[in-house]
Each structure stands twice: as structure tokens, then as C-alpha cells.
């Protein structure tokens, strides 16, 4: 494994920790600022929307900077945002800090995906991307549970101080291990935008929004679901998040490996199983053991979709992949924001803490239908590309 992939994984670890740790300390943050749980959910939606805006914007602004310098700048922005969140005196400033940190998220993973794919042979691109995202999954096994424990024991502000420190470590890792590629001589921004003329790119973005967004419908409110419905204590949320992170870790590895062999079948399987699992979660959430097992499956199946979706975008925008790759990371978080908001709506409507699972199942099921459409259109387009006109008779040639 190239050491550069390790540097990307370190940065992903810090970003993954701050993205998911808020779910574990959401009740503490809500109580500290005197807001409701659905209102505190905006710390998830706001972060996700910041990724959506920051991914394409910062990617375009960074076209004249080497990828290494851009990755370092993004990690610096991440540190500033988390430091502001840690010391925010009001809910508004806390939300502002979350948005600032989120601006770095999409561009980091978008540019990092391109860097990772270029470090390995073509047939190993999905695996390389999954290795970078492994940092995010490890964050859910170590960083998020530890941050949740610290937040419940010493206060959520201490958690975000530690997250900011993780960002510093990520910055140093990028500076030390990522090779310097030099400043691009003539970045073609028009070519990057031209990739969006391909309907397959838009289908991939839609699949990402709906597919992985289904996971966040349930996970955003996992703490009240596990404590109020399943009957776990607040302290048990820490190891429940470990199970979720372990599922993400395994799903990421399996998704990356099988996406290199059979991309669309892997995507069909993951999305279909995810939709069914979220549907079952509305019932299993009432039983401690079944709730824990289902939570692990949600993590595994949700993250098994990430490498194939990211690789599909890179394949469809192969001539100019950087902006499309960053946009797809934004699409993941647009789905997160949409799902978190819809989950808050059904909870506020009095449908209970398991109602977001229905939303997640609906979103993932719709993504599955879109994946069938993408495969159908891709199959139809192949004959037009490979078919040759019949050759003229030899006598008729000049």
C-alpha cells in the first residue's frame, strides 16, 4: 500500500470523527443550548449542506493549486471549524463552526479519491478508494465511540477540542506523506463542468443522495432510538457506535473489493439489502440484541455502497474526474441532510423515534430503482460505441 494512501486515511479519520460524533452527543448538546432534539439535528443537516456547497466550490478554487497543497489547506479549514464548535457560546455559533469544518469535507474526499485512484493500477482503483475511506470507517470504530464517551463524561466541548487536534495530525500526515505533484500548468475548468453533460453522472449523484442518505435517516437519531425504544442506557451508546463502525469498516472493504470485479451487481445487492434492513429496523429496534445486530448491518450495507458509487462517477467522468468526484461526496452529504431533516419531521409529527427508519428504507429503495435504470442505459449505449460500420469492398477503396 502506498504511504500516500495512509496519509489520506489519516485525514479521513479526523473528518469521519467530526461528522459522526455529533450523533453520540446530540442530547448533551441540545440540553446545553436549551433546544429540542430535532432542532439539534440541524448540526447534522447544516454540516451536510456545508459539504454540498464546499465540495464543488473549493474544488474549482483549488484547480490552480497542487493537490497536496489543497489537501493541506482543507485540513487547516477543518481545524478552524472544529475549534469554533468547541468554544461556541451559542447554538448559532456552534452551527457556524460545523459548517466551516464541513466545507473541507467534500473537497478533501473528492480530491483524495482522484489522488488515491492515480496511485494504483486501473483494476485496483475501487480498492484504493476504499483504503482512503477506511480512515472514515476506523473513525467510527475508535474516534466516534471515544468522542461520545468523552462527551458524556467530560462534556461535548472536550470532544470537539480533541477532534480539532485530530485535524492537526491529519494536516501533518498530508504534509509528510503525500507526494508533491507540482502546480497544474493549465487546469481545464470547462472540461470538469462538461462531465455533467453525461446523464450517467447525474444518475450516480442521485443514487448517492438517496442510497447513502437512507442510512442517515436512522443514524442521526440513533441515540434516542437506542435509549428510548430499545431500552439501552446512555452509556451503552458508545459500544453501539463501535458496532456501527465495525459494520462500516467491513462493508467498505467488501464494497471496494467486489466493485472492482462486478460494480453494478455489487451496488444492486448493497442497496436492496440496505432498504430491507432499514425496513426491518422499525421492528428490531424494540429488542436490544436485534437492534444491535441491525445497527451493525446498516453500517455494513450503507458503506458497501460507497466505493462502487464513487468509482461509477470516476468512470463516467474519466476525462475530467476531480469536480465530479467532489460533487459525489457532496451528494453523499446532501442525502445526509435530506434524511436527517425528514427524520426530524416524522419525529416532530409524533410518529416516534423508529419512524426515520421508514424514511431510510424509502430513500434506499428509490436509489435501487435508479441503479437499475443506470445499468439499463449503460447496456444500451455499448453497441453504439463498439459497433463498426461494414468495410467497403476492396475494389472501391482509393
Amino acid at each position: 500500500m502506498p504511504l500516500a494512501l495512509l496519509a489520506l486515511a489519516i485525514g479521513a479519520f479526523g473528518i469521519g470523527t467530526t461528522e459522526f460524533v455529533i450523533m453520540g452527543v446530540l442530547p448533551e448538546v441540545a440540553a446545553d443550548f436549551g433546544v429540542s432534539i430535532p432542532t439539534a439535528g440541524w448540526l447534522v443537516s447544516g454540516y451536510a449542506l456545508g459539504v454540498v456547497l464546499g465540495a464543488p466550490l473549493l474544488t474549482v478554487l483549488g484547480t490552480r493549486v497542487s493537490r497536496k497543497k489543497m489537501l493541506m489547506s482543507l485540513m487547516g479549514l477543518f481545524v478552524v471549524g472544529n475549534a469554533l464548535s468547541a468554544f461556541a457560546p451559542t447554538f448559532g455559533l456552534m452551527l457556524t463552526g460545523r459548517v466551516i469544518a464541513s466545507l473541507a469535507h467534500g473537497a478533501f474526499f473528492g480530491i483524495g479519491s482522484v489522488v488515491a485512484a492515480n496511485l494504483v493500477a486501473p483494476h485496483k482503483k475501487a480498492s484504493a478508494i476504499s483504503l482512503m475511506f477506511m480512515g472514515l470507517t476506523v473513525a467510527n470504530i475508535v474516534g466516534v465511540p471515544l468522542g461520545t464517551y468523552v462527551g458524556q463524561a467530560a462534556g461535548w466541548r472536550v470532544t470537539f477540542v480533541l477532534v480539532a487536534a485530530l485535524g492537526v495530525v491529519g494536516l501533518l500526515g498530508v504534509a509528510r506523506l503525500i507526494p508533491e505533484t507540482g502546480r497544474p500548468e493549465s487546469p481545464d475548468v470547462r472540461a470538469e463542468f462538461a462531465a455533467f453533460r453525461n446523464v450517467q453522472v447525474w444518475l450516480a449523484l442521485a443514487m448517492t443522495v438517496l442510497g447513502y442518505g437512507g442510512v442517515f435517516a436512522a443514524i442521526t437519531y440513533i441515540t434516542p432510538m437506542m435509549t428510548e425504544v430499545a431500552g439501552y442506557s446512555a452509556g451503552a451508546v458508545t459500544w453501539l457506535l463501535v458496532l456501527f463502525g465495525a459494520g462500516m469498516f467491513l462493508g467498505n472493504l467488501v464494497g471496494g473489493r467486489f466493485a472492482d470485479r462486478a460494480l453494478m451487481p455489487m451496488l444492486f445487492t448493497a442497496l436492496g439489502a440496505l432498504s430491507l434492513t432499514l425496513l426491518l429496523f422499525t421492528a428490531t429496534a424494540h429488542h436490544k440484541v436485534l437492534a444491535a445486530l441491525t445497527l451493525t448491518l446498516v453500517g455494513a450495507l450503507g458503506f458497501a455502497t460507497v466505493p462502487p458509487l464513487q468509482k461509477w462517477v470516476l468512470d463516467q467522468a474519466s476525462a475530467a474526474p476531480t469536480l465530479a468526484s467532489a460533487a459525489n461526496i457532496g451528494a453523499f452529504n446532501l442525502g445526509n441532510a435530506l434524511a436527517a431533516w425528514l427524520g426530524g419531521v416524522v419525529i416532530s409529527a409524533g410518529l416516534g423515534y423508529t419512524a426515520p427508519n421508514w424514511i431510510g428504507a424509502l430513500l434506499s429503495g428509490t436509489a435501487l430503482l435508479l441503479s437499475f435504470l443506470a445499468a439499463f442505459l449503460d447496456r444500451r449505449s455499448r453497441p453504439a460505441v463498439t459497433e463498426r460500420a461494414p468495410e467497403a469492398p476492396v475494389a472501391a477503396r482509393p
Side-chain angles (χ1 to χ4, degrees):
M1 179 184 71
L3 285 178
L5 290 178
L6 176 60
L8 294 172
I10 292 172
F13 179 86
I15 292 175
T17 300
T18 199
E19 179 182 18
F20 291 99
V21 76
I22 188 65
M23 286 79 156
V25 296
L26 200 65
E28 286 76 15
V29 174
D32 196 13
F33 288 119
V35 299
S36 66
I37 292 291
T39 298
W42 275 101
L43 296 173
V44 178
S45 298
Y47 184 96
L49 290 174
V51 177
V52 175
L53 295 175
L57 177 62
L58 293 180
T59 299
V60 171
L61 291 177
T63 54
R64 293 187 178 276
V65 181
S66 72
R67 286 171 178 159
K68 176 176 180 175
K69 291 180 179 178
M70 190 60 191
L71 290 172
M72 291 174 61
S73 300
L74 293 170
M75 289 308 299
L77 188 64
F78 171 84
V79 172
V80 171
N82 280 287
L84 178 59
S85 294
F87 299 104
T90 65
F91 181 78
L93 282 177
M94 170 71 172
L95 181 58
T96 301
R98 291 284 292 168
V99 172
I100 291 174
S102 71
L103 293 176
H105 183 127
F108 183 89
F109 280 108
I111 295 172
S113 293
V114 177
V115 172
N118 289 336
L119 289 170
V120 297
H123 67 282
K124 293 184 178 180
K125 286 186 176 182
S127 296
I129 293 170
S130 72
L131 285 174
M132 180 190 70
F133 278 95
M134 187 184 297
L136 194 151
T137 61
V138 172
N140 281 272
I141 299 175
V142 180
V144 174
L146 180 60
T148 299
Y149 174 78
V150 171
Q152 293 174 347
W156 61 268
R157 294 183 186 276
V158 179
T159 295
F160 282 94
V161 169
L162 295 177
V163 170
L166 280 176
V168 174
V169 175
L171 173 59
L172 295 175
V174 170
R176 183 69 180 269
L177 299 176
I178 295 291
E180 183 60 68
T181 58
R183 178 175 175 173
E185 295 181 0
S186 56
D188 193 348
V189 177
R190 291 184 180 180
E192 294 286 347
F193 278 103
F196 293 94
R197 296 174 185 171
N198 185 349
V199 67
Q200 287 283 17
V201 173
W202 287 105
L203 279 175
L205 295 177
M207 285 188 287
T208 298
V209 169
L210 299 172
Y212 192 71
V215 176
F216 258 66
I219 298 305
T220 298
Y221 305 100
I222 195 63
T223 297
M225 189 191 305
M226 292 293 101
T227 56
E228 301 295 329
V229 179
Y232 283 105
S233 65
V237 173
T238 297
W239 68 263
L240 286 169
L241 290 175
V242 172
L243 292 179
F244 176 71
M248 292 177 66
F249 180 83
L250 294 175
N252 179 58
L253 291 179
V254 172
R257 176 166 297 183
F258 282 93
D260 279 327
R261 300 177 183 178
L263 192 150
M264 293 310 289
M266 178 64 218
L267 195 56
F268 297 154
T269 302
L271 287 174
L274 176 61
S275 181
L276 179 60
T277 301
L278 287 168
L279 193 63
L280 292 175
F281 205 4
T282 58
T284 60
H286 294 273
H287 188 278
K288 282 188 175 182
V289 175
L290 293 179
L293 291 175
T294 308
L295 178 62
T296 307
L297 278 176
V298 169
L301 295 170
F303 229 78
T305 67
V306 175
L309 284 171
Q310 192 71 1
K311 185 176 185 293
W312 184 257
V313 169
L314 290 175
D315 289 345
Q316 299 301 323
S318 57
T322 305
L323 183 58
S325 176
N328 198 48
I329 300 300
F332 278 109
N333 287 270
L334 178 59
N336 297 349
L338 174 65
W341 174 70
L342 290 174
V345 168
V346 294
I347 291 175
S348 297
L351 298 179
Y353 287 120
T354 62
N357 296 328
W358 291 97
I359 299 296
L362 178 62
L363 293 176
S364 299
T366 306
L368 177 62
L369 295 177
L370 290 179
S371 69
F372 287 137
L373 176 60
F376 172 74
L377 293 178
D378 183 59
R379 182 171 297 179
R380 284 192 61 184
S381 68
R382 288 180 184 177
V385 175
T386 59
E387 185 177 0
R388 292 184 178 180
E391 294 185 2
V394 175
R397 294 178 183 172

